[in-house]
Amino acid sequence: MNFDFSEEQDMLRGEVRRFLADKSTSAVVRGVLESEQPHDAALWQAIGALGWAGVAIPEEFGGLGLGYLELCVIAEELGRALAPVPFASSIYLAAEALLQFGSDDQKRAWLPKLAAGEAIGALALAEGTGSPSWSRLQVAASGSGDACRINGTKWPVLDGLAADIAIVAANGADGFGLYLVELDHPGVARVVEPGIDDSRKLARLTFTDAIAHKLASGEAALQTLLNRAAILFSFEQLGGADAALAMGVAYAKERFAFGRAIGSFQAIKHKLADLFSELELARSNCYYAAWALSTDEASLDEAAAVAMIGVTRAYFNCAKENIQVHGGMGFTWDLDGHLHYRRSRLLGGIIGGQARWREQLIRVLERSNSVAA
């Protein structure tokens, strides 16, 4: 079975890569990281005008109606360029939640705006550091319909400073649920939450009787959303890992010591070869997961977990070892490799870290084995 991308999808990749190479330079990334702006507004506006945010959103809701494979291609290139924009929060999470669980009215109200980059979405899931525990959530929802209200605090929330809407995980009278909250409500307060990568800023959202609309009930709904988003986050990490490794390889070829390129020494050569092998294995897992997402394959939960486990580790290792290959210069802030190190830490934990996805994979395999038995 051929899991490679089509010629048209590779053409899309080339166009996206060329655009981001010009518009999402390290100077642009550092400009957001070292300022108080939540993202690069000009880049986000340009991405909206190009229609990238709407590639997987149906035409009836303002999108291009292409598919998830095209979205995976774009996600990979955004990760490669470290694009400081709220694409993941708006599209992988908020738009996907609306597509999966929203009413027609909610889809018509928000999906066209998300597809055009005119609105920003976020997922308000965690309540502090560590992997979220759905059974111990403190944020609570009361009432029903238009009278539903949310109270409590969520942090960290990726892109929560600029978001127009948030998908909030909360416990209601009938159990766990996902709620749509418009963040311009006076009952919503937000402040900056410190994070490791300020080119993708985090927020602390406090809800005080904020109006909310229920999207879905049960932990299975959240799991569905996270599985689908995980595959897109995996591709974003794949692009970042590829860029970090390429940076290390390029430096190993041009840096000379004792009359020869340092890449000719076994200590460097074997390190880079190991990273390449790890990255290619992660790539194959991501490609399978992309197919599972595009076809709604029954094994999507397993594919998402395998992809996240492999590529999260690969991105971190490529980013870390790129700094090591650069030697003394690598430990200075002038090296753009630090941007990848920061981003790898952020993307590797924003929807649950390695432990969370390993636990999911174990549960899936145990369930499969029990059925087979």
PDB file of all heavy atoms in Angstrom, residues 326-342:
ATOM      1  N   HIS A 326      26.570  21.739  17.373  1.00  0.00           N
ATOM      2  CA  HIS A 326      27.124  23.088  17.190  1.00  0.00           C
ATOM      3  C   HIS A 326      28.148  23.452  18.268  1.00  0.00           C
ATOM      4  O   HIS A 326      28.715  24.555  18.237  1.00  0.00           O
ATOM      5  CB  HIS A 326      25.994  24.125  17.184  1.00  0.00           C
ATOM      6  CG  HIS A 326      25.297  24.239  15.857  1.00  0.00           C
ATOM      7  ND1 HIS A 326      24.371  23.332  15.432  1.00  0.00           N
ATOM      8  CD2 HIS A 326      25.410  25.158  14.863  1.00  0.00           C
ATOM      9  CE1 HIS A 326      23.924  23.692  14.234  1.00  0.00           C
ATOM     10  NE2 HIS A 326      24.543  24.786  13.868  1.00  0.00           N
ATOM     11  N   GLY A 327      28.370  22.564  19.222  1.00  0.00           N
ATOM     12  CA  GLY A 327      29.418  22.786  20.217  1.00  0.00           C
ATOM     13  C   GLY A 327      29.175  24.009  21.081  1.00  0.00           C
ATOM     14  O   GLY A 327      28.049  24.313  21.462  1.00  0.00           O
ATOM     15  N   GLY A 328      30.267  24.745  21.368  1.00  0.00           N
ATOM     16  CA  GLY A 328      30.166  25.914  22.234  1.00  0.00           C
ATOM     17  C   GLY A 328      29.222  26.962  21.693  1.00  0.00           C
ATOM     18  O   GLY A 328      28.459  27.584  22.446  1.00  0.00           O
ATOM     19  N   MET A 329      29.236  27.164  20.375  1.00  0.00           N
ATOM     20  CA  MET A 329      28.332  28.132  19.774  1.00  0.00           C
ATOM     21  C   MET A 329      26.875  27.708  19.963  1.00  0.00           C
ATOM     22  O   MET A 329      25.975  28.532  20.055  1.00  0.00           O
ATOM     23  CB  MET A 329      28.633  28.276  18.282  1.00  0.00           C
ATOM     24  CG  MET A 329      27.828  29.363  17.593  1.00  0.00           C
ATOM     25  SD  MET A 329      28.121  29.430  15.822  1.00  0.00           S
ATOM     26  CE  MET A 329      27.187  28.008  15.273  1.00  0.00           C
ATOM     27  N   GLY A 330      26.653  26.388  20.028  1.00  0.00           N
ATOM     28  CA  GLY A 330      25.299  25.879  20.156  1.00  0.00           C
ATOM     29  C   GLY A 330      24.610  26.316  21.433  1.00  0.00           C
ATOM     30  O   GLY A 330      23.371  26.370  21.472  1.00  0.00           O
ATOM     31  N   PHE A 331      25.369  26.616  22.451  1.00  0.00           N
ATOM     32  CA  PHE A 331      24.775  26.984  23.732  1.00  0.00           C
ATOM     33  C   PHE A 331      24.513  28.481  23.863  1.00  0.00           C
ATOM     34  O   PHE A 331      24.080  28.940  24.913  1.00  0.00           O
ATOM     35  CB  PHE A 331      25.655  26.478  24.879  1.00  0.00           C
ATOM     36  CG  PHE A 331      25.564  24.997  25.056  1.00  0.00           C
ATOM     37  CD1 PHE A 331      26.371  24.146  24.323  1.00  0.00           C
ATOM     38  CD2 PHE A 331      24.634  24.442  25.910  1.00  0.00           C
ATOM     39  CE1 PHE A 331      26.260  22.777  24.455  1.00  0.00           C
ATOM     40  CE2 PHE A 331      24.521  23.071  26.056  1.00  0.00           C
ATOM     41  CZ  PHE A 331      25.333  22.235  25.320  1.00  0.00           C
ATOM     42  N   THR A 332      24.763  29.220  22.793  1.00  0.00           N
ATOM     43  CA  THR A 332      24.436  30.641  22.804  1.00  0.00           C
ATOM     44  C   THR A 332      23.045  30.860  22.221  1.00  0.00           C
ATOM     45  O   THR A 332      22.586  30.098  21.368  1.00  0.00           O
ATOM     46  CB  THR A 332      25.463  31.450  21.979  1.00  0.00           C
ATOM     47  OG1 THR A 332      25.311  31.125  20.594  1.00  0.00           O
ATOM     48  CG2 THR A 332      26.880  31.145  22.434  1.00  0.00           C
ATOM     49  N   TRP A 333      22.397  31.909  22.653  1.00  0.00           N
ATOM     50  CA  TRP A 333      21.037  32.205  22.214  1.00  0.00           C
ATOM     51  C   TRP A 333      20.998  32.621  20.747  1.00  0.00           C
ATOM     52  O   TRP A 333      19.946  32.604  20.110  1.00  0.00           O
ATOM     53  CB  TRP A 333      20.447  33.296  23.100  1.00  0.00           C
ATOM     54  CG  TRP A 333      19.063  33.742  22.752  1.00  0.00           C
ATOM     55  CD1 TRP A 333      18.628  35.024  22.641  1.00  0.00           C
ATOM     56  CD2 TRP A 333      17.910  32.921  22.480  1.00  0.00           C
ATOM     57  NE1 TRP A 333      17.286  35.056  22.316  1.00  0.00           N
ATOM     58  CE2 TRP A 333      16.819  33.769  22.214  1.00  0.00           C
ATOM     59  CE3 TRP A 333      17.700  31.550  22.426  1.00  0.00           C
ATOM     60  CZ2 TRP A 333      15.542  33.314  21.900  1.00  0.00           C
ATOM     61  CZ3 TRP A 333      16.430  31.073  22.117  1.00  0.00           C
ATOM     62  CH2 TRP A 333      15.376  31.965  21.864  1.00  0.00           C
ATOM     63  N   ASP A 334      22.163  32.934  20.164  1.00  0.00           N
ATOM     64  CA  ASP A 334      22.200  33.307  18.752  1.00  0.00           C
ATOM     65  C   ASP A 334      21.832  32.147  17.835  1.00  0.00           C
ATOM     66  O   ASP A 334      21.421  32.350  16.693  1.00  0.00           O
ATOM     67  CB  ASP A 334      23.595  33.815  18.367  1.00  0.00           C
ATOM     68  CG  ASP A 334      23.895  35.179  18.983  1.00  0.00           C
ATOM     69  OD1 ASP A 334      22.922  35.902  19.291  1.00  0.00           O
ATOM     70  OD2 ASP A 334      25.078  35.505  19.154  1.00  0.00           O
ATOM     71  N   LEU A 335      21.987  30.917  18.300  1.00  0.00           N
ATOM     72  CA  LEU A 335      21.678  29.754  17.473  1.00  0.00           C
ATOM     73  C   LEU A 335      20.170  29.541  17.406  1.00  0.00           C
ATOM     74  O   LEU A 335      19.496  29.411  18.430  1.00  0.00           O
ATOM     75  CB  LEU A 335      22.350  28.502  18.039  1.00  0.00           C
ATOM     76  CG  LEU A 335      22.065  27.225  17.238  1.00  0.00           C
ATOM     77  CD1 LEU A 335      22.790  27.265  15.903  1.00  0.00           C
ATOM     78  CD2 LEU A 335      22.450  25.988  18.022  1.00  0.00           C
ATOM     79  N   ASP A 336      19.645  29.473  16.184  1.00  0.00           N
ATOM     80  CA  ASP A 336      18.214  29.267  16.008  1.00  0.00           C
ATOM     81  C   ASP A 336      17.757  27.876  16.443  1.00  0.00           C
ATOM     82  O   ASP A 336      16.559  27.626  16.575  1.00  0.00           O
ATOM     83  CB  ASP A 336      17.829  29.489  14.540  1.00  0.00           C
ATOM     84  CG  ASP A 336      17.889  30.950  14.137  1.00  0.00           C
ATOM     85  OD1 ASP A 336      17.846  31.811  15.038  1.00  0.00           O
ATOM     86  OD2 ASP A 336      17.991  31.241  12.926  1.00  0.00           O
ATOM     87  N   GLY A 337      18.695  26.976  16.664  1.00  0.00           N
ATOM     88  CA  GLY A 337      18.337  25.650  17.161  1.00  0.00           C
ATOM     89  C   GLY A 337      17.590  25.703  18.479  1.00  0.00           C
ATOM     90  O   GLY A 337      16.786  24.804  18.778  1.00  0.00           O
ATOM     91  N   HIS A 338      17.840  26.736  19.266  1.00  0.00           N
ATOM     92  CA  HIS A 338      17.115  26.864  20.537  1.00  0.00           C
ATOM     93  C   HIS A 338      15.623  27.073  20.313  1.00  0.00           C
ATOM     94  O   HIS A 338      14.806  26.700  21.155  1.00  0.00           O
ATOM     95  CB  HIS A 338      17.693  28.027  21.351  1.00  0.00           C
ATOM     96  CG  HIS A 338      19.029  27.732  21.946  1.00  0.00           C
ATOM     97  ND1 HIS A 338      19.173  27.083  23.146  1.00  0.00           N
ATOM     98  CD2 HIS A 338      20.285  27.973  21.489  1.00  0.00           C
ATOM     99  CE1 HIS A 338      20.457  26.952  23.424  1.00  0.00           C
ATOM    100  NE2 HIS A 338      21.150  27.480  22.426  1.00  0.00           N
ATOM    101  N   LEU A 339      15.272  27.682  19.203  1.00  0.00           N
ATOM    102  CA  LEU A 339      13.856  27.867  18.890  1.00  0.00           C
ATOM    103  C   LEU A 339      13.177  26.517  18.701  1.00  0.00           C
ATOM    104  O   LEU A 339      12.039  26.313  19.131  1.00  0.00           O
ATOM    105  CB  LEU A 339      13.707  28.728  17.632  1.00  0.00           C
ATOM    106  CG  LEU A 339      14.301  30.134  17.691  1.00  0.00           C
ATOM    107  CD1 LEU A 339      14.196  30.812  16.325  1.00  0.00           C
ATOM    108  CD2 LEU A 339      13.613  30.975  18.755  1.00  0.00           C
ATOM    109  N   HIS A 340      13.875  25.595  18.059  1.00  0.00           N
ATOM    110  CA  HIS A 340      13.324  24.255  17.879  1.00  0.00           C
ATOM    111  C   HIS A 340      13.267  23.497  19.207  1.00  0.00           C
ATOM    112  O   HIS A 340      12.318  22.742  19.453  1.00  0.00           O
ATOM    113  CB  HIS A 340      14.147  23.462  16.864  1.00  0.00           C
ATOM    114  CG  HIS A 340      13.814  23.805  15.448  1.00  0.00           C
ATOM    115  ND1 HIS A 340      12.611  23.464  14.874  1.00  0.00           N
ATOM    116  CD2 HIS A 340      14.523  24.475  14.502  1.00  0.00           C
ATOM    117  CE1 HIS A 340      12.593  23.898  13.624  1.00  0.00           C
ATOM    118  NE2 HIS A 340      13.731  24.514  13.373  1.00  0.00           N
ATOM    119  N   TYR A 341      14.286  23.695  20.045  1.00  0.00           N
ATOM    120  CA  TYR A 341      14.264  23.019  21.343  1.00  0.00           C
ATOM    121  C   TYR A 341      13.044  23.459  22.151  1.00  0.00           C
ATOM    122  O   TYR A 341      12.316  22.630  22.710  1.00  0.00           O
ATOM    123  CB  TYR A 341      15.546  23.325  22.118  1.00  0.00           C
ATOM    124  CG  TYR A 341      15.624  22.589  23.434  1.00  0.00           C
ATOM    125  CD1 TYR A 341      16.123  21.295  23.493  1.00  0.00           C
ATOM    126  CD2 TYR A 341      15.176  23.185  24.618  1.00  0.00           C
ATOM    127  CE1 TYR A 341      16.181  20.609  24.701  1.00  0.00           C
ATOM    128  CE2 TYR A 341      15.225  22.503  25.815  1.00  0.00           C
ATOM    129  CZ  TYR A 341      15.728  21.212  25.854  1.00  0.00           C
ATOM    130  OH  TYR A 341      15.771  20.533  27.048  1.00  0.00           O
ATOM    131  N   ARG A 342      12.780  24.748  22.176  1.00  0.00           N
ATOM    132  CA  ARG A 342      11.626  25.266  22.905  1.00  0.00           C
ATOM    133  C   ARG A 342      10.320  24.731  22.310  1.00  0.00           C
ATOM    134  O   ARG A 342       9.422  24.307  23.034  1.00  0.00           O
ATOM    135  CB  ARG A 342      11.618  26.796  22.864  1.00  0.00           C
ATOM    136  CG  ARG A 342      12.714  27.454  23.684  1.00  0.00           C
ATOM    137  CD  ARG A 342      12.650  28.963  23.534  1.00  0.00           C
ATOM    138  NE  ARG A 342      13.667  29.633  24.316  1.00  0.00           N
ATOM    139  CZ  ARG A 342      13.421  30.637  25.157  1.00  0.00           C
ATOM    140  NH1 ARG A 342      12.197  31.070  25.332  1.00  0.00           N
ATOM    141  NH2 ARG A 342      14.407  31.218  25.813  1.00  0.00           N
TER     142      ARG A 342
END
